[in-house]
Amino acid sequence: MPRGPEPWYRPRPRQHLVADNPYAPEGRTPPPPPPPSRPGRFGTRPVIVTAVVVLLLGACGGLYAATDGWSGRPSRPVAEPAPTPSGTPSAGRSPTPPTPEHTRIPTSEEINAGRKPGEATAWIAAGTDDLPRRSIKLHDLWVVGDTVVQAVHKRVTARRVSDGAEVWSVPLPAPVCETPVNPTPDGKVVLVYKSSQAVHGNRCNQLQMIDLRTGKAGWHKELTEIRSMDDTIIVNSAISGDVLTVVQSMKAAAYRVADGAKLYDIPRENPGECYPDDVAGGPRLLVSYDCSISIDRSRNFSRLAEIVPRSGKVLWRYRTRPGWKIGKALSVDPVVLTTLHTEERTDNWRIVALGSGGKLRTTVDPGQKGFTYCAEAGESNENMQNCQGTLVDEQTVYLGGTDRVGAYDLGTGKLLWGVKTDGHRTLHPLSAEGGSRSLVYEAASVSQPGGIIRLGPGGVETKQQVLRHPATARAAEARMFAGHLAYVNGRIVITPGTVYGDDARPEARMLSFAPAAS
């Protein structure tokens, strides 16, 4: 059969060869093998690649080209030292590149005073609460109107998007332990905080409604538990329309956001076999079920169901194959999720896109191109909709990671484009622009400030610099490790995933960049 059109990649006369690079096109003659080195992060098994020629594009900021001709597991270029083996990322652990020196939080004025022509303007916000001396989680970012809102420890704070000024804050009696990704269409949210301020032995069982447009706290109620199947040690939640769904242990129920009234229980399926274990909201309400029917994990599976939020009626069900479980919901419309092997976990995972009626649309194996699960954040203890480094539009899923970013077609499962950095730069898909184009956040490193680039079909050849962040913000930005990101009308808002309550090492809570006014 004749081959179709060649991919976007076109070799240039002068090329720099990089051994064992999976981002090189097919059909090139590989260079001699590199000298032996320490095992890389993918273990000691031999790496087999079809072709290894790659072009370094200095003008493109150290990005390598990528096509659908990748094969094998990735290795780092020979010019870089191989990292020590790390295995599967631990639950709840984010990538931890070297931390830049940082002894104080700069002011917005200091950051902007050091800007060079063409660089972004910035504002930075420091928290005023006295945090306990331990790791404190920062929760989901909500953008409502002209404010960005986030819960940290025992306070929910709204800041003006344009300048970071505090608009309102709501104190809580105890630390927040769970937040839904989506508020209601009219800007209300229900968060969950703990039963006490104790570090150990408390429950995640206090529901609190807050109107994010006004900063007014509404109704409050406590989740009840009778036995181990409905305990509140770990709680997951989601909002779809005006309905809050809460999963506590092996039980799930739906509540009306307006007044907290309980609407219905979500029953277990095949009693004794499948129980609800997580939930995803937004335009649709999805509930995942863990079906542990055997001590032999190879026989266990998961189910996913779409439920009508107001009534609880099941519209369709999808079932994984035996030995696989549902991981994260990357999107609820279209439905795109991850699945994991029950034994190998994040070392063996897939992206699954579902079509009408929950029918399988396509399956993608991103591990073949070196993409790690949720950009190396692992399974984590976050809820079903928290997966770093991922973005989905109607036809495309975009994946990022420590040193690469790419796009897959949801209809065919094929790689559309991909690029790889030649340094330790984390790349996060930020906003889809149609036609598989995407804005990508290049996180700051210990030596380089961050920024936003545009990539599309053709990968590195299409790179455009959209926003350059000032070097004066580099240290503060790098310490955030792209924990949470929001992109609003050309402005990026960044927060860390966690902060540590140490007065001697203050950490900024929020940092934002936007193009300078012309």
Side-chain angles (χ1 to χ4, degrees):
M1 177 181 289
R3 296 185 62 181
E6 287 295 310
W8 61 270
Y9 176 88
R10 292 291 182 271
R12 292 184 180 179
R14 300 186 65 181
Q15 301 182 13
H16 179 83
L17 303 181
V18 180
D20 291 337
N21 181 19
Y23 294 77
E26 290 181 324
R28 312 292 181 198
T29 303
S37 61
R38 292 179 298 162
R41 60 177 168 173
F42 297 102
T44 57
R45 289 176 294 177
V47 177
I48 301 174
V49 294
T50 303
V52 293
V53 179
V54 71
L55 176 64
L56 277 177
L57 299 177
C60 290
L63 297 178
Y64 297 137
T67 76
D68 200 34
W70 298 348
S71 62
R73 306 292 281 185
S75 296
R76 292 183 178 271
V78 294
E80 300 179 38
T84 55
S86 59
T88 302
S90 301
R93 186 174 298 171
S94 298
T96 53
T99 303
E101 291 185 8
H102 184 66
T103 56
R104 60 178 292 271
I105 301 172
T107 64
S108 300
E109 291 75 16
E110 289 171 334
I111 292 175
N112 289 314
R115 286 194 313 113
K116 295 179 180 179
E119 291 183 338
T121 59
W123 58 257
I124 192 168
T128 57
D129 290 348
D130 186 18
L131 300 178
R133 195 178 174 88
R134 62 176 185 267
S135 182
I136 303 297
K137 178 179 176 180
L138 279 72
H139 294 270
D140 294 292
L141 278 176
W142 300 304
V143 178
V144 178
D146 62 350
T147 63
V148 57
V149 190
Q150 190 174 43
V152 182
H153 196 44
K154 297 189 295 180
R155 186 173 296 275
V156 183
T157 303
R159 298 187 181 278
R160 197 158 49 225
V161 171
S162 59
D163 59 9
E166 184 176 308
V167 178
W168 56 259
S169 69
V170 176
L172 298 166
V176 176
C177 49
E178 163 63 10
T179 58
V181 170
N182 306 101
T184 63
D186 62 351
K188 294 182 176 65
V189 75
V190 179
L191 52 78
V192 194
Y193 64 87
K194 294 183 178 181
S195 57
S196 75
Q197 297 190 51
V199 178
H200 304 293
N202 50 22
R203 300 286 174 164
C204 185
N205 62 2
Q206 305 294 310
L207 300 181
Q208 177 65 61
M209 190 271 275
I210 297 176
D211 188 331
L212 301 180
R213 295 186 183 276
T214 64
K216 302 297 184 183
W219 57 265
H220 164 267
K221 72 186 304 179
E222 181 175 319
L223 294 172
T224 58
E225 54 183 276
I226 301 173
R227 50 195 180 275
S228 62
M229 289 188 296
D230 61 359
D231 69 50
T232 55
I233 297 173
I234 296 177
V235 166
N236 294 316
S237 67
I239 289 177
S240 184
D242 61 350
V243 174
L244 166 75
T245 305
V246 177
V247 177
Q248 52 185 102
S249 188
M250 302 166 70
K251 174 186 175 181
Y255 304 84
R256 193 162 49 220
V257 172
D259 56 11
K262 185 175 181 178
L263 300 176
Y264 54 85
D265 287 313
I266 298 175
R268 287 190 284 173
E269 299 197 342
N270 294 348
E273 293 184 4
C274 300
Y275 58 88
D277 69 340
D278 217 330
V279 63
R284 293 177 172 178
L285 174 57
L286 304 179
V287 178
S288 68
Y289 296 81
D290 186 5
C291 300
S292 300
I293 61 175
S294 171
I295 59 173
D296 179 3
R297 291 186 179 182
S298 66
R299 297 180 57 194
N300 298 337
F301 60 94
S302 290
R303 280 182 175 167
L304 185 72
E306 181 180 359
I307 293 178
V308 178
R310 288 284 186 91
S311 66
K313 177 183 177 182
V314 176
L315 297 177
W316 51 258
R317 294 179 178 88
Y318 167 79
R319 171 177 167 167
T320 67
R321 54 181 170 169
W324 289 74
K325 68 183 291 286
I326 290 171
K328 301 289 188 179
L330 308 186
S331 168
V332 300
D333 189 17
V335 179
V336 181
L337 58 138
T338 66
T339 60
L340 303 92
H341 190 275
T342 53
E343 294 286 354
E344 300 174 27
R345 312 297 287 189
T346 57
D347 284 336
N348 190 3
W349 62 288
R350 302 290 186 273
I351 290 176
V352 174
L354 303 182
S356 177
K359 297 292 192 301
L360 179 63
R361 183 179 174 189
T362 190
T363 301
V364 175
D365 181 3
Q368 293 183 349
K369 310 304 181 192
F371 290 103
T372 55
Y373 195 80
C374 295
E376 295 191 13
E379 293 181 74
S380 79
N381 292 322
E382 301 280 356
N383 68 28
M384 190 176 179
Q385 289 179 272
N386 295 124
C387 186
Q388 293 183 2
T390 61
L391 175 70
V392 176
D393 66 12
E394 190 63 35
Q395 296 294 332
T396 312
V397 56
Y398 305 86
L399 300 177
T402 300
D403 59 358
R404 65 200 68 199
V405 65
Y408 287 88
D409 188 293
L410 290 176
T412 65
K414 292 184 177 180
L415 181 76
L416 297 172
W417 57 262
V419 299
K420 183 179 184 295
T421 65
D422 61 354
H424 200 96
R425 298 297 300 274
T426 302
L427 301 173
H428 290 264
L430 194 62
S431 177
E433 294 190 320
S436 87
R437 292 191 307 273
S438 175
L439 295 180
V440 176
Y441 169 55
E442 286 187 296
S445 69
V446 294
S447 59
Q448 295 175 291
I452 298 175
I453 59 175
R454 176 180 286 111
L455 293 167
V460 72
E461 297 282 1
T462 68
K463 179 187 174 184
Q464 298 175 341
Q465 189 76 44
V466 176
L467 198 64
R468 289 185 177 88
H469 298 175
T472 46
R474 177 193 54 78
E477 184 180 1
R479 283 180 66 86
M480 290 185 173
F481 299 119
H484 296 282
L485 303 173
Y487 189 69
V488 189
N489 298 325
R491 173 180 291 277
I492 185 173
V493 179
I494 311 163
T495 81
T498 59
V499 292
Y500 195 82
D502 184 353
D503 293 339
R505 292 176 58 84
E507 297 174 84
R509 304 284 179 83
M510 198 172 284
L511 180 59
S512 181
F513 301 96
S518 57

